[in-house]
Amino acid sequence: MEWTAAGDSVTLRVAENYTLERNLIKEEIPDAGDAILGLLPFYLPEPDRYGMDNPICNNVYRKWGEKTQGEPYHIYMVAIGCLIEERLGEKAFLYGDITRAQCVEAVKLANQCLKEPIGIPLQCDMEGFYKRVDRLPLTEQEKMFVFEQLYLGTKNAEFGKFLRRSFSEDACNSYWRIRFDRNFLRYMQEYLLWGFDLERLCGFADELVHKGKLDYEKFVIRIMDAKLHLKEKNCEGVLKINQDEARPYSVATLFAQVIFGGASNKKVDRYIPVEKIRNSLRRGLQGKCEVDKLIDAYLAKEAEEGEVHVSLEDSPEDKKAAARKDTAETFRQLIEQKREEMNKEAYEYDIYKYQDLLQFEPGNTITPKIEGFLKQLAAFCAGLLEEEEYKSLMEKEPIVRCKWLAEENDAVLIRDSDWGKIFEDVEKNENSFVRYYPLMRLNLNNDAAYYAAIALLVNDDLYAYLGNLK
């Protein structure tokens, strides 16, 4: 026995199948340990030490690795995961592309159905999750890697303070040394945001300079790019995953983080007066580069260039000029303006996305763009009724037309109840085939056509609305 989830019956959105067997465990392993141990090969910096053939790692069943990001049933699957972890304790662990806020929302949803309520997973609570990680048979440095990567919550100065309180200075130094050796400029932002010492950062930079992975001038400039010397600055990362956001983010967001990585915001939400920055860099770099000269030049250029102001209506040349000043700020402003446009549509119209057509009700307003598409679709469908195959089918029994619909369909996924209604309509109303035949002949190779076709198949109100469009 098993259950399977393949989609959402309300929105008719589908994704990969999710299955959970009733008899999942084939063999009892009394000393299998915490389920987190099965993740060590993916989250520790020494995969050779904790490979899949290591007994400490291979006593785990990994389930549900497919994609649900952005799908309507994502939060339902998170709710089931929260329930399983609550009931099984350390023998289960929920992780992946999820946020703390999603877990909170999922638990509320689950508790509407449960006699015995559940709480949010331990990985959403710093103290609770640290206690679980601290019991793992790992070195202190390894525990720090596991804790930092699997904790679900906002990672800010408070998070950094917790790290310094919970892990020794040696463990912290070892952690950052490994991180910086892989990508110094990326992890430097986290180091500064979490409140670690700027002068000590110079020591890590010095090590990388001697390895040929960094130069002192680039290091100083990147410190200034963090805008630590400014009290007021916009540190928002438009593509950054927000742990306080319950709305599922899509796979497209993850791709965008890679594609637009060069436009990531370098500013860090921390303030250090410029004189303190100078003093820390002087002491830390010990005359290995002209710190004051580099900082003075940076501040002069910053004052000369001024703030970035860009608009969607600006010419490509103006946008490029703004990007040369501050790529991240230019990208942020353009994205925010686009969001405002979309939010305005959402406020002014009931239906502003193609996938919302399924929920259309009489009196709803539809954006001009979608309405225009529906008009084009209606005209195209009318043309399909001139096909000889349609005329031939209309001369045959209703059962033949029903069979043709079922056999012709290779793209549309709707509910059994929807098919039952369609077949009944075809059998009892000869004119109804005018509606269904063209929709099965469409090439549904884009989201607009796919969602419009599904909605027109099952939503009578939308089909009636389409007939009244001029």
Side-chain angles (χ1 to χ4, degrees):
M1 294 288 292
E2 64 181 35
W3 60 258
T4 300
D8 178 61
S9 65
V10 177
T11 63
L12 300 186
R13 294 284 298 274
V14 297
E16 287 92 339
N17 290 351
Y18 276 71
T19 300
L20 188 65
E21 300 87 349
R22 183 177 296 276
N23 298 315
L24 173 63
I25 299 177
K26 306 298 188 297
E27 177 186 358
E28 290 288 344
I29 306 175
D31 58 348
D34 194 303
I36 293 177
L37 295 173
L39 303 179
L40 299 186
F42 312 106
Y43 288 93
L44 287 184
E46 300 178 68
D48 293 340
R49 179 176 176 183
Y50 293 103
M52 297 308 299
D53 56 344
N54 190 318
I56 199 175
C57 307
N58 61 11
N59 294 324
V60 174
Y61 293 89
R62 294 176 186 82
K63 303 298 294 182
W64 302 357
E66 293 77 24
K67 297 283 184 290
T68 61
Q69 301 100 323
E71 297 299 334
Y73 70 78
H74 171 84
I75 205 73
Y76 305 143
M77 302 306 297
V78 175
I80 296 170
C82 290
L83 169 64
I84 292 172
E85 182 171 328
E86 172 86 4
R87 297 294 191 249
L88 298 185
E90 293 184 355
K91 295 303 179 183
F93 187 74
L94 175 67
Y95 71 103
D97 294 324
I98 56 178
T99 66
R100 184 185 189 280
Q102 288 172 10
C103 289
V104 172
E105 192 68 25
V107 166
K108 290 180 183 177
L109 183 66
N111 285 338
Q112 295 175 15
C113 310
L114 297 172
K115 292 181 179 179
E116 183 182 339
I118 62 174
I120 61 173
L122 276 181
Q123 53 268 39
C124 297
D125 172 66
M126 273 193 279
E127 291 284 355
F129 188 48
Y130 171 76
K131 290 177 182 178
R132 178 170 177 177
V133 171
D134 194 43
R135 292 192 290 270
L136 298 175
L138 304 173
T139 67
E140 187 185 17
Q141 172 202 298
E142 291 167 345
K143 291 176 182 178
M144 185 170 175
F145 267 94
V146 170
F147 176 81
E148 185 275 312
Q149 293 180 94
L150 295 179
Y151 168 69
L152 290 178
T154 302
K155 296 177 182 178
N156 50 20
E158 192 64 31
F159 177 73
K161 188 184 297 183
F162 183 87
L163 290 179
R164 291 188 291 277
R165 186 175 75 244
S166 304
F167 298 95
S168 69
E169 184 177 351
D170 285 344
C172 289
N173 286 339
S174 178
Y175 170 87
W176 288 117
R177 186 170 285 110
I178 292 171
R179 284 293 195 214
F180 290 150
D181 195 54
R182 292 185 172 183
N183 190 328
F184 179 79
L185 297 179
R186 172 188 170 188
Y187 290 109
M188 186 192 78
Q189 281 187 284
E190 294 180 353
Y191 180 98
L192 294 171
L193 176 63
W194 298 350
F196 283 85
D197 184 64
L198 177 56
E199 188 174 338
R200 178 68 187 90
L201 182 62
C202 295
F204 292 119
D206 190 52
E207 293 175 14
L208 292 172
V209 170
H210 285 95
K211 291 181 178 181
K213 295 186 175 183
L214 188 67
D215 65 69
Y216 293 116
E217 290 188 4
K218 187 175 183 180
F219 168 65
V220 173
I221 296 302
R222 190 57 187 265
I223 291 293
M224 297 305 295
D225 282 341
K227 305 297 182 183
L228 300 171
H229 58 289
L230 299 179
K231 285 186 178 180
E232 302 294 331
K233 54 193 175 251
N234 193 315
C235 302
E236 180 187 0
V238 293
L239 295 176
K240 189 175 181 180
I241 304 301
N242 183 0
Q243 286 293 325
D244 296 322
E245 175 60 69
R247 182 181 57 186
Y249 54 89
S250 67
V251 177
T253 300
L254 303 179
F255 280 127
Q257 287 180 324
V258 177
I259 296 170
F260 298 109
S264 60
N265 198 338
K266 299 175 184 177
K267 303 181 188 70
V268 173
D269 189 15
R270 179 179 176 182
Y271 172 66
I272 303 177
V274 69
E275 285 308 313
K276 285 191 175 182
I277 295 175
R278 289 181 189 272
N279 291 334
S280 294
L281 294 181
R282 287 193 202 109
R283 290 193 301 268
L285 297 179
Q286 300 177 347
K288 292 169 182 172
C289 72
E290 298 181 273
V291 169
D292 288 309
K293 184 177 179 180
L294 289 168
I295 291 178
D296 289 340
Y298 187 96
L299 295 175
K301 182 180 179 183
E302 183 181 67
E304 179 184 346
E305 291 182 342
E307 296 182 353
V308 168
H309 296 285
V310 65
S311 168
L312 289 170
E313 286 71 37
D314 287 348
S315 67
E317 291 73 21
D318 289 340
K319 291 174 182 174
K320 288 179 183 178
R324 282 193 291 271
K325 288 183 182 180
D326 190 331
T327 304
E329 181 61 19
T330 300
F331 185 65
R332 185 194 70 78
Q333 290 185 22
L334 293 175
I335 291 293
E336 285 300 317
Q337 290 171 37
K338 192 63 181 176
R339 281 179 180 169
E340 288 177 9
E341 281 188 2
M342 295 170 67
N343 289 338
K344 184 180 179 182
E345 275 196 342
Y347 178 78
E348 293 180 352
Y349 298 95
D350 299 303
I351 306 295
Y352 63 97
K353 294 185 293 186
Y354 287 98
Q355 49 263 53
D356 293 338
L357 286 169
L358 189 65
Q359 278 72 47
F360 175 86
E361 296 178 352
N364 281 171
T365 55
I366 301 178
T367 65
K369 179 182 178 181
I370 296 179
E371 195 167 84
F373 177 81
L374 291 176
K375 289 179 181 179
Q376 292 178 350
L377 186 64
F380 186 78
C381 287
L384 293 175
L385 297 176
E386 299 300 320
E387 293 181 341
E388 290 301 322
E389 186 171 20
Y390 170 74
K391 297 174 182 178
S392 173
L393 286 167
M394 289 303 297
E395 295 175 355
K396 298 177 180 178
E397 295 295 317
I399 188 65
V400 176
R401 294 195 285 273
C402 290
K403 183 178 180 182
W404 180 89
L405 289 174
E407 292 177 346
E408 187 70 15
N409 175 48
D410 62 357
V412 173
L413 294 170
I414 55 178
R415 298 158 293 208
D416 289 346
S417 58
D418 297 319
W419 279 115
K421 178 177 172 297
I422 290 171
F423 293 153
E424 183 179 6
D425 197 17
V426 172
E427 289 173 356
K428 294 184 176 181
N429 180 6
E430 184 173 334
N431 294 329
S432 66
F433 203 57
V434 169
R435 172 180 180 178
Y436 305 118
Y437 175 85
L439 295 175
M440 287 301 171
R441 293 281 292 113
L442 293 176
N443 184 7
L444 307 180
N445 57 358
N446 59 70
D447 284 350
Y450 180 77
Y451 291 120
I454 286 181
L456 289 169
L457 277 171
V458 304
N459 189 324
D460 295 339
D461 292 326
L462 180 66
Y463 183 72
Y465 177 86
L466 184 68
N468 294 325
L469 284 179
K470 303 299 182 182

